[in-house]
């Protein structure tokens, strides 16, 4: 059975690496509208763009979709979602999926799966996703966030470090444990790369905005560690494959534009 849920797409006009990113043209439509189109292919009951600028709202509404104008001073997309939940008057038990506004190629099935992961366990306040890591370079890359799980597919920890650490496999013949000793990953390692999509109970979004930042999240620069630090559980859906990359830079935008051109040629 499909989970009944709401998709919220936080969208902020200013971007350091790509000015006016939500309005960047992709195949004749603003990027944020392309994200909405992907979201509309899910089983979600409703899709809203939670934005900080009237120009984004106008672009979304011109496409016949729904936008919520939120405050411009939010420090994170999660805080923006919490305001949107209040604007919509969603009950605490409602499920909300955060779809980033710079992922015009996101797989609708992944969105549904994360919502279903949260819906499957009433004790969970939050869920996310991960996929297997097969390449050693990705495993040791600090820009690739790893996650380890417990027996119930709940997150034990997220890290930029290579976790879990295979002590014996990563030890040289002289006994020194080193990254240089690892050219290939052990088959039993089961390393997982975190995918940055989240589902929340609406009530937990209201709780989250009042949680103090944790030392761990500041050290790792990973906001989701705040949830674990304060003792809340995060369920994790394991996807078979890596998702399509989002748009962070002009090079990313050019790549996505080329893909849309190919698809429509």
């Amino acid at each position: 059975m499909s989970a009944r849920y709401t998709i919220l797409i936080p969208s902020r006009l200013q971007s350091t690496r790509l000015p006016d990113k939500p309005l960047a043209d992709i195949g004749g439509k603003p990027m944020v509208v392309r994200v909405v189109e992907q979201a509309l292919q899910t089983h979600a009951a409703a899709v809203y763009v939670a934005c900080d600028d009237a120009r984004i709202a106008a672009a979304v509404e011109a496409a016949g979709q729904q936008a919520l104008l939120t405050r411009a001073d939010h420090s994170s997309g999660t805080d923006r979602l919490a305001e949107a939940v209040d604007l919509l008057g969603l009950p605490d038990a409602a499920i909300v999926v955060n779809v980033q506004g710079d992922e015009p190629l996101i797989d609708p099935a992944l969105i549904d799966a994360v919502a279903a992961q949260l819906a499957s366990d009433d004790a969970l306040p939050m869920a996310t996703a991960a996929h297997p890591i097969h390449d050693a370079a990705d495993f040791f890359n600090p820009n690739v966030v790893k996650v380890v799980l417990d027996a119930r597919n709940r997150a034990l920890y997220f890290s930029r470090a290579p976790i879990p650490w295979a002590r014996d496999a990563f030890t040289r013949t002289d006994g020194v444990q080193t990254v240089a000793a690892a050219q290939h990953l052990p088959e039993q390692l089961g390393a997982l790369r975190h995918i940055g999509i989240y589902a929340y109970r609406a009530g937990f979004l209201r709780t989250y905005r009042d949680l103090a930042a944790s030392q761990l999240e500041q050290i790792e620069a990973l906001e989701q560690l705040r949830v674990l630090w304060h003792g809340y559980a995060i369920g994790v859906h394991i996807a078979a494959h890596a998702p399509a990359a989002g748009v962070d830079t002009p090079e990313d935008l050019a790549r996505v534009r080329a893909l849309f051109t190919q698809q429509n040629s």
Side-chain angles (χ1 to χ4, degrees):
M1 180 181 297
S2 299
R4 183 172 177 81
Y5 67 98
T6 299
I7 291 176
L8 293 179
I9 304 171
S11 184
R12 185 170 63 92
L13 189 65
Q14 297 305 318
S15 169
T16 303
R17 291 182 287 181
L18 191 59
D20 295 346
K21 183 166 67 169
L23 303 179
D25 181 87
I26 298 177
K29 297 180 182 180
M31 177 162 57
V32 67
V33 172
R34 291 295 187 186
V35 178
V36 171
E37 290 176 342
Q38 294 299 102
L40 290 171
Q41 296 179 52
T42 68
H43 293 99
V47 178
Y48 298 89
V49 174
C51 55
D52 70 344
D53 192 283
R55 286 170 286 178
I56 301 174
V60 172
E61 291 167 354
Q65 305 307 325
Q66 302 180 94
L68 298 168
L69 193 57
T70 58
R71 299 201 326 260
D73 60 348
H74 288 301
S75 59
S76 71
T78 312
D79 291 333
R80 194 174 309 286
L81 293 188
E83 181 186 356
V85 161
D86 287 343
L87 290 173
L88 292 171
L90 294 180
D92 283 349
I95 293 176
V96 173
V97 176
N98 175 2
V99 174
Q100 296 300 321
D102 56 5
E103 296 193 21
L105 300 175
I106 190 167
D107 183 359
L110 176 63
I111 302 173
D112 279 335
V114 174
Q117 184 75 28
L118 184 56
S120 69
D121 186 345
D122 290 340
L124 285 175
M126 182 174 168
T128 187
H131 70 85
I133 297 175
H134 302 292
D135 185 74
D138 286 340
F139 185 64
F140 294 108
N141 183 348
N143 294 316
V144 173
V145 178
K146 277 71 66 175
V147 59
V148 291
L149 310 181
D150 68 10
R152 294 181 291 176
N153 278 10
R154 294 183 176 190
L156 289 171
Y157 192 63
F158 297 86
S159 184
R160 298 182 182 279
I163 56 173
W165 181 260
R167 186 198 63 176
D168 295 338
F170 299 156
T171 300
R172 297 187 319 207
T173 55
D174 61 2
V176 176
Q177 292 190 34
T178 172
V179 170
Q183 301 300 319
H184 304 284
L185 299 181
E187 292 184 7
Q188 301 82 9
L189 185 64
L192 294 171
R193 178 177 187 166
H194 179 230
I195 300 172
I197 180 173
Y198 299 98
Y200 305 88
R201 308 279 177 190
F204 183 66
L205 278 170
R206 296 181 173 109
T207 297
Y208 179 91
R209 63 186 167 192
D210 295 325
L211 295 179
S214 71
Q215 184 179 15
L216 280 179
E217 74 175 278
Q218 294 168 343
I219 291 171
E220 293 255 24
L222 297 174
E223 186 180 342
Q224 64 269 33
L225 288 175
R226 184 182 310 182
V227 177
L228 300 184
W229 174 275
H230 287 280
Y232 294 96
I234 303 176
V236 181
H237 163 72
I238 302 177
H241 306 289
V247 176
D248 291 319
T249 66
E251 293 76 18
D252 294 336
L253 181 59
R255 172 182 49 78
V256 171
R257 282 172 169 166
L259 286 172
F260 271 86
T261 299
Q262 291 172 8
Q263 292 172 359
N264 296 297
S265 61

